[in-house]
Amino acid sequence: MNPILRGILAVLSGAVVGNLVNMGLIMISGSIIPPPEGADLTTVEGLKASSHLLEPRHFIFPFLAHALGTLTGAVLAAIIVKKHKIKYALGIGTLFLIGGVIAAFMIPAPAWFIALDLIAAYLPMGFIAGSLVQRFVPAKS
């Protein structure tokens, strides 16, 4: 396959699968860690109105969703490409970081969570994914 097409496929596949993992974790989070009584966390307006009720435990799944979604998408992208595996994985990490920055402006969250999320959930996961694939997945010819 043409390397350019393979690269496009890697980025698109990584972004789609990473977002599916992210949204899947967000969707199940309320059944594992219930929201505060009377809080509607399904809309941005509900989040804004209920943000003062959230405890640190309510931010575990959003962080895991962001980190594992990025990691999964970056692993897939790095597996698909033949060369520059870490670069493609970091590219996925960068895409997800851009989404995280946008979300930080739209969705209310404490400063500690925003900082932790933006620092630890995106680029580090991209680098870890690229490094793992480069080390453990045999190179394609």
Side-chain angles (χ1 to χ4, degrees):
M1 180 184 282
N2 180 322
I4 293 172
L5 290 176
R6 187 180 288 271
I8 293 169
L9 176 65
V11 171
L12 290 176
S13 299
V16 168
V17 170
N19 275 307
L20 289 173
V21 169
N22 183 334
M23 289 309 299
L25 287 170
I26 293 297
M27 289 175 70
I28 67 166
S29 66
S31 62
I32 297 171
I33 299 175
E37 196 65 36
D40 174 23
L41 304 182
T42 60
T43 65
V44 174
E45 294 79 22
L47 276 168
K48 287 179 181 177
S50 305
S51 63
H52 67 284
L53 300 172
L54 298 177
E55 301 170 13
R57 68 188 177 110
H58 294 110
F59 294 96
I60 293 171
F61 265 87
F63 178 79
L64 285 176
H66 299 164
L68 294 177
T70 303
L71 183 71
T72 305
V75 163
L76 181 59
I79 287 172
I80 292 172
V81 295
K82 290 184 179 183
K83 297 180 180 180
H84 309 293
K85 294 181 179 298
I86 292 179
K87 288 180 184 178
Y88 275 87
L90 283 171
I92 295 296
T94 302
L95 283 175
F96 278 76
L97 175 62
I98 291 167
V101 169
I102 292 168
F105 284 104
M106 293 174 31
I107 302 169
W112 65 264
F113 174 74
I114 293 171
L116 174 67
D117 195 49
L118 295 179
I119 292 168
Y122 303 108
L123 295 180
M125 293 299 122
F127 181 76
I128 289 167
S131 298
L132 288 172
V133 170
Q134 192 170 34
R135 182 170 181 179
F136 293 112
V137 176
K140 297 176 185 135
S141 50

